[in-house]
Amino acid sequence: MSKDLHPPSGSGEIANSETLKELKVTSRGELGELVLRTITDRADKSGLVFGVYPVRRLMNSYHLLNDRKAKGLNGSMQFTYRNPLRSTSPDRIIPGARSIVTFALPIEHLETQGDLILPRLLARYARRDYYGILRRELESVHEALGLLGVNSKVVLDSNELIDKEVAVRSGVGSYLKNSLVNVAGFGSFTVIGSLVLDVALPRTLVKERLISCGRCQICIEQCPTSAIGADGAIDARRCISWLLQSPEDVDPKYLAAIGTRLYGCDICQEVCPINRRSIFHQEESSYSVDETAIEILQVLKSSDSQLLELLNHIYIHKRDVRLVRRNAIIAAANLGPLSAFEDEIVSEIAKLKLADSIYQPYIQFFNQSRGVAI
């Protein structure tokens, strides 16, 4: 996949030096065609899937967010729950907003390109800076549209917009029962971002909002903390992915279910039959206990600055890397004592016991897993 988009050139395409006057664009309709051709060309070159939705208030989503917030399902999670009206009002993103172009970047086939970050501990979307890759692609499209006099803004991994909802409304994909978006041929292992622009574009044909999961509810059944509701609502208070990001103490009843995860959780995606049919699906490698232990040790031994540099691409609440070390202690406890690096792990966790009281509940969990007291 190309990491650097270049301005189109050649027959029927737009060169950097050309202006709207030189192109003799005389109507908004002609401009829209030019914009759509530019977006299509760049998406094709970079392997992105995209769709278009007209700018309008997402009132159904607004009411859903408020309803789930009233039920407490968001727990301590803010993001789009912080200000539901803002997150469902794309017309506020730029003056004169007319269209939302939503893009999906499939990530599975990128896993073999370059080194992955802590692949035994991180969810797949966090093993490389996939959002950074997508952002660079969208910024390049934004720059190309600017040459046409189009005002646009990149909105990605932001509480300005509910990305999954606009992805579905723009025809990029359809909802799964686990609330994630299935992109045809790629499954749900994608990252999503949008461009909001002030030019009206034709809406992409939309498929059904909930794909034909039929009676399958394996994602609901296999979630170890029962975080997925029958209506697709995720209870953040139970969701492992959020528990590992939350600055609040992790409920002890969920510690064992976290396993050796440091950040994120892919269970509901890995068990999904649709992901197993996607064209880029590959079975996860079986990692040995020692390989996992090495990565846990890397986290435990790293300084604050080293961890922030290593994990600069993911959300860490207030950049407090103590939360990362907390998760590493939980992972070490769940890994068990069978690795060749057990003594080193015990030694590093003993140091943390003296460093900060925040680690104490998780060191107790580690002690229980070993039947000893550090």
Side-chain angles (χ1 to χ4, degrees):
M1 174 176 294
S2 170
K3 301 300 180 293
D4 300 304
L5 290 177
H6 302 286
S9 60
S11 176
E13 297 179 327
I14 306 155
N16 272 343
S17 62
E18 292 179 320
T19 64
L20 288 178
K21 183 176 179 180
E22 290 170 334
L23 288 166
K24 298 180 180 180
V25 175
T26 59
S27 70
R28 296 295 287 182
E30 289 183 1
L31 177 58
E33 292 177 5
L34 203 55
V35 166
L36 192 57
R37 192 164 75 241
T38 301
I39 293 170
T40 301
D41 177 75
R42 290 168 179 268
D44 288 346
K45 289 181 178 178
S46 54
L48 302 177
V49 179
F50 80 94
V52 179
Y53 182 71
V55 167
R56 60 185 63 170
R57 296 284 174 93
L58 308 172
M59 296 311 298
N60 288 345
S61 297
Y62 171 74
H63 293 303
L64 271 177
L65 284 173
N66 280 317
D67 178 63
R68 292 171 182 177
K69 189 174 182 180
K71 293 176 180 177
L73 294 181
N74 63 309
S76 61
M77 180 191 290
Q78 294 298 311
F79 204 53
T80 53
Y81 284 106
R82 182 185 299 277
N83 186 341
L85 182 60
R86 177 177 188 254
S87 300
T88 55
S89 302
D91 56 305
R92 296 184 174 187
I93 293 176
I94 61 170
R98 301 291 302 279
S99 300
I100 308 170
V101 185
T102 301
F103 300 81
L105 171 69
I107 66 174
E108 286 196 65
H109 64 305
L110 293 176
E111 286 196 352
T112 59
Q113 299 181 20
D115 294 333
L116 299 178
I117 301 168
L118 303 176
R120 298 152 186 85
L121 305 180
L122 302 185
R124 298 180 79 156
Y125 79 93
R127 295 174 189 173
R128 291 184 66 193
D129 187 7
Y130 294 114
Y131 277 108
I133 294 172
L134 180 58
R135 181 176 296 279
R136 289 191 292 273
E137 301 285 11
L138 298 194
E139 290 289 356
S140 183
V141 178
H142 163 77
E143 292 173 7
L145 296 182
L147 296 174
L148 302 178
V150 175
N151 183 25
S152 66
K153 181 179 180 179
V154 174
V155 183
L156 182 146
D157 197 24
S158 164
N159 61 12
E160 284 187 280
L161 190 63
I162 303 180
D163 52 8
K164 292 187 294 186
E165 181 65 16
V166 292
V168 170
R169 293 193 183 206
S170 67
V172 167
S174 303
Y175 278 122
L176 295 167
K177 287 184 178 178
N178 60 9
S179 87
L180 299 176
V181 175
N182 169 47
V183 179
F186 301 98
S188 60
F189 282 109
T190 64
V191 292
I192 298 169
S194 296
L195 271 175
V196 179
L197 51 149
D198 65 354
V199 174
L201 299 177
R203 180 178 178 177
T204 305
L205 177 66
V206 177
K207 299 179 181 179
E208 55 186 330
R209 290 173 60 79
L210 181 68
I211 69 163
S212 53
C213 296
R215 296 182 180 180
C216 178
Q217 53 181 10
I218 191 170
C219 60
I220 298 173
E221 296 167 351
Q222 292 296 313
C223 177
T225 58
S226 301
I228 306 173
D231 60 350
I234 305 299
D235 189 339
R237 299 166 299 182
R238 295 169 172 263
C239 179
I240 290 173
S241 186
W242 176 246
L243 293 176
L244 292 172
Q245 296 181 47
S246 174
E248 296 186 345
D249 289 339
V250 180
D251 190 321
K253 66 185 177 185
Y254 298 132
L255 291 176
I258 287 172
T260 57
R261 297 173 182 84
L262 187 79
Y263 191 91
C265 177
D266 288 332
I267 292 174
C268 66
Q269 299 190 80
E270 290 170 347
V271 301
C272 177
I274 288 172
N275 280 330
R276 293 186 176 275
R277 293 199 302 265
S278 67
I279 61 176
F280 289 124
H281 177 77
Q282 295 178 355
E283 294 292 338
E284 284 288 312
S285 299
S286 296
Y287 295 123
S288 72
V289 170
D290 284 351
E291 288 174 322
T292 304
I294 289 171
E295 292 190 2
I296 291 173
L297 266 177
Q298 180 182 349
V299 174
L300 293 174
K301 288 183 173 182
S302 294
S303 66
D304 289 4
S305 60
Q306 288 171 331
L307 283 177
L308 287 173
E309 181 179 359
L310 178 68
L311 302 174
N312 185 54
H313 63 294
I314 62 176
Y315 168 78
I316 300 174
H317 181 74
K318 295 184 177 179
R319 312 310 289 166
D320 186 354
V321 293
R322 293 180 303 170
L323 301 177
V324 179
R325 294 195 185 97
R326 171 199 70 184
N327 298 347
I329 296 172
I330 298 171
N334 288 321
L335 180 66
L338 301 180
S339 84
F341 303 92
E342 173 70 3
D343 290 345
E344 287 186 74
I345 289 176
V346 171
S347 175
E348 292 301 321
I349 292 178
K351 294 175 186 176
L352 292 178
K353 180 180 180 180
L354 301 174
D356 200 305
S357 61
I358 189 177
Y359 303 122
Q360 191 57 39
Y362 312 104
I363 293 176
Q364 290 177 357
F365 177 61
F366 180 84
N367 289 343
Q368 292 169 5
S369 73
R370 301 303 196 266
V372 298
I374 293 178

